[in-house]
Amino acid sequence: MTRRRQVVWWLRGAALAAFLVYLPGWVSSRQGGLVEVERWLNHPVVLLGTAITLAVASAVAQIEFRTRWAQIGCAAALSPLLFIAAAIGALAYVFGGDGRQVDRTPDPNRSDHVLSVTDIAFSIDPVYRVELLTGSGWSARHWSLGTWEEHDGFIKAEWSGPGRITVTSEKEIRVFTVDEGGALGGPSVTPRAR
């Protein structure tokens, strides 16, 4: 096997590895997913961007150029793209955090059920994500109750009884139930009188 072919396969293997690292994070971002796995591995811009960049690099490395000028021209054309991809990945990693915690309230009857309100906006206007977190440590799971932007008029999320969560906005009231195992049921939606 030639050195070029070895480099191509190493790049493809690294691209596949980046994709496979991202996959559990993506699965954990769904309802009932593991909180810590999502936090550590759900970075699509960084991991999928790396996989795509490595796949493109392997395709370019596979091409046999006839002249030295063809190699230099290809490198000159791809260099700005790699620089832009690296900048986007770095910015996404630095600014793509989990958001700003607004409120975190445990169920009065169960300390392992926590209601979490997070501002996930990248701008000044808030975007509130409301979640139920069940369990603790690496086995903690999350259940989404919804996301409200500023124009939705989010007011509050609170425990309104044993195993019961009420989310109030200017337009409606949503009531969710939580079973003993921590799974989320509902919601029951009632329009709010003005």
Side-chain angles (χ1 to χ4, degrees):
M1 187 183 277
T2 66
R3 180 171 172 80
R4 177 187 306 226
R5 191 173 274 176
Q6 286 177 337
V7 168
V8 166
W9 284 107
W10 275 104
L11 290 171
R12 288 180 182 166
L16 180 62
F19 176 75
L20 292 176
V21 165
Y22 168 68
L23 206 52
W26 176 74
V27 170
S28 291
S29 70
R30 305 288 181 227
Q31 285 283 50
L34 296 169
V35 174
E36 289 298 317
V37 173
E38 180 193 13
R39 189 169 73 85
W40 283 94
L41 302 179
N42 189 23
H43 299 285
V45 173
V46 175
L47 292 172
L48 290 181
T50 299
I52 291 168
T53 301
L54 291 172
V56 169
S58 75
V60 170
Q62 191 173 10
I63 298 171
E64 292 189 31
F65 295 99
R66 293 183 181 231
T67 66
R68 186 158 193 75
W69 287 107
Q71 288 177 332
I72 292 170
C74 183
L78 289 177
S79 294
L81 295 176
L82 291 175
F83 177 76
I84 291 169
I88 290 171
L91 288 172
Y93 185 77
V94 170
F95 294 111
D98 296 331
R100 180 181 61 85
Q101 189 81 44
V102 175
D103 191 20
R104 186 176 173 89
T105 311
D107 182 341
N109 300 317
R110 294 202 52 169
S111 62
D112 63 336
H113 290 179
V114 176
L115 181 60
S116 170
V117 179
T118 308
D119 180 4
I120 59 170
F122 290 114
S123 65
I124 295 172
D125 299 330
V127 176
Y128 298 106
R129 178 179 64 202
V130 181
E131 289 183 307
L132 169 66
L133 307 174
T134 60
S136 63
W138 283 95
S139 64
R141 295 188 176 275
H142 64 95
W143 307 88
S144 175
L145 281 73
T147 302
W148 287 263
E149 295 186 23
E150 182 182 29
H151 62 80
D152 295 325
F154 175 80
I155 297 174
K156 65 181 175 179
E158 62 186 349
W159 291 99
S160 54
R164 198 172 136 170
I165 299 170
T166 302
V167 179
T168 307
S169 70
E170 291 177 0
K171 299 175 185 175
E172 63 188 13
I173 297 172
R174 293 184 184 189
V175 179
F176 298 85
T177 56
V178 183
D179 69 17
E180 286 298 315
L184 195 62
S188 156
V189 180
T190 308
R192 196 158 178 244
R194 295 193 176 220

